[in-house]
């Protein structure tokens, strides 16, 4: 890569309609340019990787509980915050101790989130809305977010919303 490529990347981020991708330095660059974010495979979530803007959409990775053959609900994932520092989720040993597998988003979840953010930005979104803050109440900083949980994600994973 040369300096021109890096400049082009930054220029594209500054002018894009919205950013789609996982939590990363690139996401933070897009946010610095005040671009809406469609955050996919958000992890560890909800501790980090939650945009605060009302024109952003988030779909988190899911936590599979091996012993119980089920996914943690969003509420249960939030409660993990009390017992575990979010940085430990990057350590496979920590998730193994908890008996958790971290499951990435499906292509269907990702494509529905991209359609949703585009429709929201075009002011033609007709689907359901799932404000992130509704899932957190007093639990963490996400209670102040104006972003939305992806509607397609929520519909495909209704069991996570309990």
């Amino acid at each position: 890569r040369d300096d021109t490529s890096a400049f082009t990347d930054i220029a594209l981020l500054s002018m894009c309609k919205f950013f789609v991708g996982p939590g990363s330095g690139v996401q933070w660059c897009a946010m610095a340019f005040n671009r809406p974010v469609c955050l996919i495979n958000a992890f560890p979530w909800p501790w980090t990787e939650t945009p605060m803007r009302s024109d952003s959409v988030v779909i988190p990775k899911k936590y599979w509980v091996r012993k119980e053959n089920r996914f943690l609900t969003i509420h249960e994932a939030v409660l993990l915050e009390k017992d575990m520092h979010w940085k430990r989720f990057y350590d496979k040993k920590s998730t193994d101790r908890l008996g958790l597998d971290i499951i990435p988003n499906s292509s269907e979840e990702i494509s529905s989130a991209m359609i949703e953010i585009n429709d929201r930005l075009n002011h033609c979104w007709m689907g359901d809305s799932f404000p992130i803050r509704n899932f957190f109440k007093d639990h963490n900083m996400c209670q102040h977010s104006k972003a939305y949980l992806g509607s397609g994600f929520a519909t495909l994973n209704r069991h996570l919303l309990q």
Side-chain angles (χ1 to χ4, degrees), residues 15-124:
M15 294 182 276
C16 66
K17 183 174 184 178
F18 58 89
F19 169 80
V20 178
S24 66
V26 178
Q27 170 218 344
W28 290 103
C29 285
M31 289 170 59
F33 285 117
N34 209 26
R35 307 313 321 151
V37 171
C38 180
L39 189 61
I40 61 172
N41 283 311
F43 178 80
W45 190 79
W47 302 278
T48 64
E49 312 306 343
T50 300
M52 303 305 265
R53 297 170 47 122
S54 62
D55 57 4
S56 294
V57 173
V58 178
I59 55 174
K61 289 186 178 184
K62 296 172 275 199
Y63 305 133
W64 179 255
V65 184
R66 287 184 220 124
K67 281 184 186 177
E68 300 174 24
N69 272 346
R70 68 174 186 90
F71 288 106
L72 288 180
T73 65
I74 290 174
H75 178 72
E76 290 171 323
V78 170
L79 293 177
L80 281 178
E81 179 179 40
K82 292 179 180 179
D83 300 322
M84 187 170 179
H85 190 275
W86 64 268
K87 287 184 179 181
R88 287 197 170 147
F89 272 92
Y90 291 114
D91 177 12
K92 177 93 170 88
K93 291 177 188 173
S94 294
T95 54
D96 281 345
R97 264 192 307 279
L98 291 170
L100 297 176
D101 290 324
I102 310 305
I103 310 299
N105 297 133
S106 69
S107 57
E108 186 177 2
E109 291 166 343
I110 294 168
S111 63
S112 69
M114 291 171 57
I115 291 167
E116 179 177 349
I117 194 169
N118 190 61
D119 285 356
R120 284 184 183 280
L121 293 171
N122 290 338
H123 307 290
C124 62

